[in-house]
Amino acid sequence: MYKMDKEALRVKEAERAFDHKRRTIGLFGAPILAILVFLTPIEALTLEAHKLLAIMVLVALWWITEPVPIPVTSLIGPTLAVITGVVPVGTAFAAFANPMIFLFMGGFILAKAMMSHGLDKRFTYWLLSRSWVGSNPRRIFLAIGLAAALCSGWVSNTATAAMMFPICLGLLNSIKEMFAANGRDIDLHDYKYATGLMLMTAYSCSIGGVLTPIGTPPNLIMLGFLDQMADMHVSFFQWMIWGAIAMVVYFIIAYIVISKMFPADVEKIDGAEEFIRSKIAELGSWNRAQVNTLIAFLVAVILWITPGFLSIAFGSADSTLKMYNRLFPEAVAAMGGALLLFILPVNFARRQFTLTWKEAMEGIEWGTLILFGGGLAMGGMMYKTGLSQWVGDLIVNSLGGEPSQFAMVAIFSVMALLLSELTSHTAATNMIGPLAITAALSAGMSPIPVSVGIALSSSLGFMLPVSTPPNAIVYASGYIPITKMIKTGVYIDFIGIAFVTIPLAIYLVSWITG
């Protein structure tokens, strides 16, 4: 254990030193580079596009190096665009009122209610208490992963990891107690199964995020860019079709890799079933707030998926489907479900409702919304000034003039994966998304495959504790040596991107969208 503490301390000190240098270099280097870009003559660009290019350089480098908080950088871009005369203020900040913002906001409020009233824990403990799970360590391993993946499709990956973390600790304590009762004293910090269980929890939280558009920010960011820059709308139902396939295959890959690398050395974990039963007993019976939250959540989900069934039943050109989409777009469905939480009473006599405004505000990730809006704003300005066309042509020409769809998807997917390992996957998607879409359009291709490839790849940040919040949460347990996380992450990252992300993005999405 002492050895593990020293290793963790050394890694943290190295991370702090690296972050300090990264932020210092970015703070001073990015503005200098932006000025140099503006002073460099580029005849193909208008003055507005040239100024925006310099601003984009500053914003992109500050997103990567983080000398100021990422949401602050997201506001700096549109602000500088107005000050320098690139676009009027109404154009620069219009993206912050994009319907996708309210789709995300509704999802955050619903997720907050689910966590506040324990619906996420009810589902997790229900799954772990199934008879097929029992006290078998391999099945517990599978059930923990499934619970994390399915929850994170609807709730923040970070919140899901925070919920699953103490559950995993409780199960590992049961293992320790079981060994102690049999006269064997083990150090969980050196126990392979403990490492595997923690890694499976973190990775499943990220994998589950690909299931729905609201599962993780990159999904919705790419859908927003498609709608804004290519006038292409991908429905909630359509995303769930390929999101479900990607999630299942990613999960299988992760389960096989981790279970092979970190196997259990026992056939049964004594006390595991008792631990789960005690947790279920602590939750008690269903209360009014939980029922109301379930109703609100189901209303939103039904409104989200109804267009898919209407399209299957009547065809995509049916007037009923068009009217439904006009009255109940995804953002309205999300806000409709969320607003029910403030209307459905828990105790009407006392005017107590399912969710208070204060609770809702605590559940909204304002930084993510601002980052999302800033990314859409920069992408929209690139399109309006013609900068996106210039960048797209530049990328296409650098790839030989006529790149294949495979090459396009592969290059941008790998770029998104590598950048997501080093910085926020939301910031990475904001940087790469507009470039990929404009490059695809310049090459005469549908931008949907490359957009989906980027969104899926951004969720495959498995190599480092800093790659995703779930990684950081489980790494803090001390049960995961940094070398083990890197080695496991490399395997899953590149197997996933080679055999799932690229083929799925190219073939399945093209087939679904015709």
Side-chain angles (χ1 to χ4, degrees), residues 455-513:
L456 296 180
S457 299
S458 296
S459 291
L460 292 178
F462 296 150
M463 289 193 287
L464 297 169
V466 297
S467 300
T468 66
N471 288 11
I473 289 171
V474 300
Y475 180 73
S477 68
Y479 296 154
I480 306 174
I482 186 67
T483 53
K484 298 295 184 184
M485 178 176 278
I486 293 173
K487 184 177 180 180
T488 311
V490 167
Y491 286 146
I492 301 175
D493 276 353
F494 288 98
I495 293 173
I497 204 169
F499 295 100
V500 182
T501 306
I502 296 173
L504 180 67
I506 293 174
Y507 300 109
L508 179 63
V509 179
S510 298
W511 173 68
I512 290 175
T513 57

Side-chain angles (χ1 to χ4, degrees), residues 181-227:
N182 294 321
R184 178 183 168 190
D185 185 27
I186 65 165
D187 183 355
L188 290 175
H189 292 82
D190 297 322
Y191 190 52
K192 277 189 174 183
Y193 184 75
T195 302
L197 189 65
M198 287 295 175
L199 286 175
M200 191 67 194
T201 300
Y203 293 171
S204 296
C205 290
S206 296
I207 288 169
V210 307
L211 176 62
T212 68
I214 63 169
T216 189
N219 301 351
L220 212 52
I221 288 171
M222 292 312 303
L223 295 185
F225 282 141
L226 280 173
D227 189 59

Side-chain angles (χ1 to χ4, degrees), residues 19-101:
D19 284 342
H20 180 74
K21 291 179 182 178
R22 174 171 62 100
R23 289 169 179 159
T24 302
I25 292 171
L27 180 62
F28 298 104
I32 293 172
L33 189 58
I35 292 171
L36 291 175
V37 167
F38 179 68
L39 294 176
T40 302
I42 304 177
E43 295 181 1
L45 291 178
T46 64
L47 178 59
E48 288 76 15
H50 199 163
K51 287 188 282 190
L52 183 62
L53 177 62
I55 294 170
M56 284 293 299
V57 169
L58 172 66
V59 170
L61 290 176
W62 274 14
W63 269 335
I64 295 172
T65 57
E66 298 182 64
V68 299
I70 287 178
V72 173
T73 301
S74 303
L75 291 171
I76 287 173
T79 301
L80 287 177
V82 176
I83 292 173
T84 56
V86 175
V87 293
V89 64
T91 302
F93 289 95
F96 289 91
N98 188 290
M100 292 288 184
I101 296 283

Side-chain angles (χ1 to χ4, degrees), residues 388-394 396 401 408 436-445:
S388 62
Q389 183 65 48
W390 178 79
V391 172
D393 291 341
L394 198 65
V396 171
M408 191 76 75
I437 289 175
T438 53
L441 292 174
S442 295
M445 301 175 184

Side-chain angles (χ1 to χ4, degrees), residues 86-287:
V86 175
V87 293
V89 64
T91 302
F93 289 95
F96 289 91
N98 188 290
M100 292 288 184
I101 296 283
F102 294 92
L103 172 54
F104 239 145
M105 185 181 293
F108 284 148
I109 294 173
L110 285 166
K112 175 61 178 179
M114 292 173 69
M115 290 185 291
S116 293
H117 299 301
L119 252 64
D120 50 353
K121 290 182 179 178
R122 278 199 178 277
F123 168 73
T124 300
Y125 291 136
W126 172 84
L127 185 58
L128 288 170
S129 67
R130 297 302 86 197
S131 58
W132 62 268
V133 178
S135 56
N136 184 294
R138 287 181 293 276
R139 292 179 181 177
I140 288 174
F141 192 82
L142 177 63
I144 284 284
L146 282 173
L150 293 173
C151 280
S152 64
W154 306 95
V155 178
S156 155
N157 297 354
T158 307
T160 302
M163 175 195 69
M164 298 300 299
F165 184 63
I167 297 173
C168 291
L169 290 179
L171 289 169
L172 291 175
N173 282 332
S174 295
I175 294 176
K176 187 175 179 67
E177 290 170 3
M178 178 191 72
F179 281 129
N182 294 321
R184 178 183 168 190
D185 185 27
I186 65 165
D187 183 355
L188 290 175
H189 292 82
D190 297 322
Y191 190 52
K192 277 189 174 183
Y193 184 75
T195 302
L197 189 65
M198 287 295 175
L199 286 175
M200 191 67 194
T201 300
Y203 293 171
S204 296
C205 290
S206 296
I207 288 169
V210 307
L211 176 62
T212 68
I214 63 169
T216 189
N219 301 351
L220 212 52
I221 288 171
M222 292 312 303
L223 295 185
F225 282 141
L226 280 173
D227 189 59
Q228 188 176 54
M229 301 179 68
D231 195 26
M232 292 183 172
H233 179 73
V234 176
S235 71
F236 201 99
F237 184 82
Q238 281 179 312
W239 180 275
M240 281 195 68
I241 292 176
W242 59 66
I245 294 173
M247 185 190 78
V248 169
V249 184
Y250 284 150
F251 185 85
I252 292 172
I253 292 170
Y255 177 76
I256 292 174
V257 170
I258 297 174
S259 61
K260 292 294 183 183
M261 292 180 66
F262 309 102
D265 59 353
V266 293
E267 293 298 321
K268 183 180 179 181
I269 301 175
D270 293 332
E273 291 175 281
E274 290 76 8
F275 171 76
I276 297 301
R277 278 197 293 268
S278 69
K279 290 296 182 181
I280 293 175
E282 287 177 11
L283 293 176
S285 57
W286 282 72
N287 57 40

